[in-house]
Amino acid sequence: MDTLAALLHGFTVAATPYNLLWAAVGVTIGTAIGALPGLGPSTTVALLLPLTYNVNPTAAFIMFAGIYYGSQYGGSTASILLNTPGEPGAMMTAVEGNQMARRGRGAQALATAAIGSFIAGTLGTIALTFVAPLMVKVALMLGAPEYFALMVLALAAVTAVMSGSITKGIASLALGLLLGAVGLDPTSGQPRFTFGIMELLDGIDVTIVAVGLFAVGETLFVVSRRSSSKAEVIAIAGSLWMSREDWSRSWKPWFRGALFGFPIGALPAGGAEVPTMLSYATEKRLSRYPEEFGHGAIEGVAGPEAANNASAAGALAPLLALGLPTSATAAILLAAFQQYGLRPGPLLFDSNPDLVWGLIASLYIGNVLLLLLNLPLVGVWVSLLKVPKPWLYAGILCFATLGAYTLNNNVVDIGMLWLIGMMGFGMRMLNVPIVPCVVGFILGPMLELMLRRALAISQGDPSVFFMRPVSLCLLLLTFSLFLGPPLYRWLRRRSEAARSGGTVA
Amino acid sequence: MWRRMRQPSEAALGVGLAVLALWIIALTSQLTVGFSYDNVGPRTVPYLIASLLLLSGIAIIGDAFSRASAERGSDDPVQWLPIVLISATLIFQLFVIRQIGWIPAATISFAVCAFAFDERRMLLNLLFGFLLACGTYILFNYGLQLRLPAGYLLEGLL
């Protein structure tokens, strides 16, 4: 009952005209920017961070939640009609939805994606409402060593899951940790890696890192390739409505997708990639028309898109309850909290119930707004897809500099933006994954704080991490993440070698 | 040819990471430590980061020599001129945004950036850039109370 009362209170916060306005602004801008080709939710959220510098925290986070959810909806439009998934979570939607659009069923693909996102987003938000307070109870029992182990696990998981090559993933993570260490050491007050530059004493701002790596790096990468292949927007033709058959083939995948998305999204390693893949594979196996998959099966859009949105809600649970981001977007949201001097985690539920529950309530509202915004107005978003590439990227770059400059009204930040953009470009060129770097940058300082706090309590004895059962388990899990796959491969190779050796002999 | 190029770039990445690691160790060793209540001190985490960099750098060098081009990049040659142009717009803004103001700086940057993307209709580029710059200026300065620089020209006019 407690939870319901808190949620009700949240609605009274979120439903004030002022906050409703920010929610509406957030979902609209989120959809619009998310629909621009190649811009995924994390880039969108990072680019739009400056909009809220002067807004009060509750309204700012209500708007952010709208941007977060809205960019997912907008992203599905770009994936379906243009085949440009902005993020790995949208990959399956792009594969199957674009095939549907090519067969003249673009409207149905967009509809099943929007309605599925609404249902899964709402289910995910309900789950978030009840899971987050439980997580808070668990979180209150965790000490510094457990938090440290949990963060190590989250970092390891992001590195292992998001990287094609584990060595490059670790390199990316280390670069992120290094960027995070720039500035005054919070415990001893010593400047580290600042090279006597005053502006670096406060550390590098997250907007600079996220926008530099994602937006500027991406722009430089695209311009250096100047690919001749031109993506084509597929016009929507034929019936705009989902037929009875479309509905009957969609509703089960929506629910199953939500079931995959939320729990996996809430795990430290989660993200959106794994649940969307699982949902796609499941729907293909369960479908009565498996031969249609790969040629525009509606289940292949409905399921993964639902899973994608539910995982976005899932990622908010550990973010709000533990202060632990499980995806790049969640990491940027965490940094946004920090900009307001707020620390997500168990204490936030006590100290700022208005903000937390207003935010959760606004997710319900945002989902309804998004459904209204995306079904009738889809034509508006489609026209955004037609923005020519030169102007699109020129605009992105202008927005990036604007965000960097308005941070502190300081030109040094523009220089940092360029440097980090060049770094992002280099990483893209050499196939070094970017997400571990961003998450490492944001978690790094917290990780160091917990490490030092834990060792201060244990008076410098590092065995504290291995003597406490919870932190020991978490650390063992971390090791298995890295050692598991190579060990498995080695064992398989050995058994294969044994088998082939047997046939030869 | 690109395939042969690929391995040296991988090896260079590994060497770069290792050099960076050594540099961090050198910088970190100059930090002073001296608080007894702080068991870890400001050096430990930088040393950890450096060892991660060193390890991954060495592993990447190893991969570059042992693995036969496992992953291949795109075959398009890298175009350096547009990168220089776009870098120039950012550095240009860095130096002039305060003096000439957001609107002219953003207009010029937008146009040059679009030019770098092969859009050669400069007048059109400038027009769109100008509209975008004015729009964001009005939105940020009047709607969101953030201060984009007006520049001497606009300040004179107002």
Side-chain angles (χ1 to χ4, degrees), chain A residues 22 50-55 165 167-168 170-171 173-175 177-178 181 185 187-188 190-193 195 216 219-220 222-228 388-391 393-395 397-399 401-402 405-406 409-412 414-415 417-418 422 425 429-432 448 451-452 455-460, chain B residues 2 6 9-10 13 17 20 23-24 27-28 31-33 35 37-43 45-46 48-49 52-53 56 59-60 63 71 74 76-80 82-83 86-87 89-91 93-94 97-98 102 106 110 113-114 116-119 121 124-125 128 132 136 139-140 144-149:
Chain A
W22 284 109
L51 291 181
T52 60
Y53 289 159
N54 270 347
V55 182
S165 137
T167 47
K168 288 184 184 173
I170 293 174
L173 175 69
L175 289 171
L177 292 172
L178 177 65
D185 166 33
T187 314
S188 71
Q190 285 204 60
R192 288 190 298 197
F193 312 119
F195 309 104
V216 180
T219 304
L220 291 170
V222 172
V223 82
S224 76
R225 294 275 121 145
R226 199 170 294 169
S227 65
S228 46
K389 210 154 92 176
W391 294 333
Y393 281 102
L397 215 65
C398 275
F399 241 86
T401 33
L402 186 155
Y405 180 77
T406 46
N409 288 339
N410 194 330
V411 289
V412 175
I414 300 181
L417 182 75
W418 176 65
M422 287 303 280
F425 167 66
M429 290 290 293
L430 294 163
N431 283 318
V432 178
E448 180 171 18
L451 174 71
R452 289 161 82 160
L455 288 176
I457 294 166
S458 76
Q459 296 174 334
Chain B
W2 183 242
R6 181 108 207 139
S9 72
E10 296 277 294
L13 171 67
L17 289 168
L20 180 64
W23 189 40
I24 292 167
L27 283 174
T28 306
L31 291 174
T32 48
V33 261
F35 297 106
Y37 61 84
D38 188 17
N39 292 299
V40 178
R43 282 183 187 175
V45 168
L48 274 174
I49 296 171
L52 274 183
L53 282 171
S56 60
I60 289 169
D63 280 354
E71 40 187 322
S74 138
D76 301 337
V78 178
Q79 309 262 348
W80 286 105
I83 292 183
I86 288 178
S87 301
T89 67
L90 283 170
I91 293 165
Q93 298 225 33
L94 163 72
I97 193 167
R98 285 244 175 94
W102 165 253
F110 183 96
C113 184
F117 272 93
D118 264 348
E119 177 58 70
R121 290 172 291 179
L124 213 53
N125 289 345
F128 276 113
L132 182 80
T136 46
L139 174 71
F140 274 72
L144 299 162
Q145 279 118 46
L146 291 163
R147 280 205 318 244
L148 286 167

Side-chain angles (χ1 to χ4, degrees), chain A residues 106-346:
Chain A
Q108 284 76 20
L110 289 171
T112 198
I115 301 170
S117 298
F118 168 72
I119 290 179
T122 306
L123 286 176
T125 310
I126 294 173
L128 167 71
T129 309
F130 293 96
V131 168
L134 291 180
M135 270 193 178
V136 165
K137 287 203 180 102
V138 176
L140 286 172
M141 293 186 278
L142 302 179
E146 284 85 10
Y147 260 112
F148 174 77
L150 200 57
M151 283 180 201
V152 171
L153 174 64
L155 285 177
V158 166
T159 307
V161 173
M162 297 286 181
S163 320
S165 137
I166 200 92
T167 47
K168 288 184 184 173
I170 293 174
S172 167
L173 175 69
L175 289 171
L177 292 172
L178 177 65
L179 290 175
V182 171
L184 285 183
D185 166 33
T187 314
S188 71
Q190 285 204 60
R192 288 190 298 197
F193 312 119
T194 56
F195 309 104
I197 300 169
M198 266 267 291
E199 283 82 359
L200 283 181
L201 286 178
D202 280 338
I204 304 170
D205 197 275
V206 62
T207 313
I208 309 272
V209 173
V211 170
L213 289 179
F214 285 124
V216 180
E218 174 73 15
T219 304
L220 291 170
F221 183 72
V222 172
V223 82
S224 76
R225 294 275 121 145
R226 199 170 294 169
S227 65
S228 46
S229 67
K230 263 205 165 157
E232 208 180 317
V233 181
I234 301 163
I236 299 180
S239 164
L240 291 176
W241 301 101
M242 284 170 68
S243 66
R244 184 182 291 271
E245 193 203 352
D246 290 333
W247 280 96
S248 72
R249 285 176 64 177
S250 288
W251 72 272
K252 279 187 219 154
W254 291 337
F255 284 93
R256 279 194 291 260
L259 230 54
F260 280 121
F262 183 84
I264 300 179
L267 287 176
E273 199 176 5
V274 177
T276 48
M277 297 278 184
L278 272 177
S279 161
Y280 187 81
T282 311
E283 295 313 330
K284 190 173 179 182
R285 192 167 310 149
L286 293 176
S287 171
R288 272 186 291 157
Y289 316 94
E291 72 283 354
E292 278 185 27
F293 276 75
H295 307 287
I298 196 164
E299 294 97 329
V301 180
E305 200 47 33
N308 192 12
N309 264 56
S311 78
L316 288 176
L319 175 68
L320 290 174
L322 302 172
L324 195 72
T326 60
S327 68
T329 319
I332 295 166
L333 284 175
L334 174 67
F337 273 103
Q338 288 169 342
Q339 265 180 355
Y340 283 99
L342 296 168
R343 272 190 82 104

Side-chain angles (χ1 to χ4, degrees), chain B residues 100-153:
Chain B
I100 69 170
W102 165 253
I103 295 176
T107 306
I108 295 168
S109 299
F110 183 96
V112 173
C113 184
F115 182 82
F117 272 93
D118 264 348
E119 177 58 70
R120 296 286 137 108
R121 290 172 291 179
M122 259 329 231
L123 277 177
L124 213 53
N125 289 345
L126 284 166
L127 177 70
F128 276 113
F130 182 68
L131 290 178
L132 182 80
C134 290
T136 46
Y137 185 81
I138 292 166
L139 174 71
F140 274 72
N141 287 33
Y142 299 103
L144 299 162
Q145 279 118 46
L146 291 163
R147 280 205 318 244
L148 286 167
Y152 297 140
L153 190 65

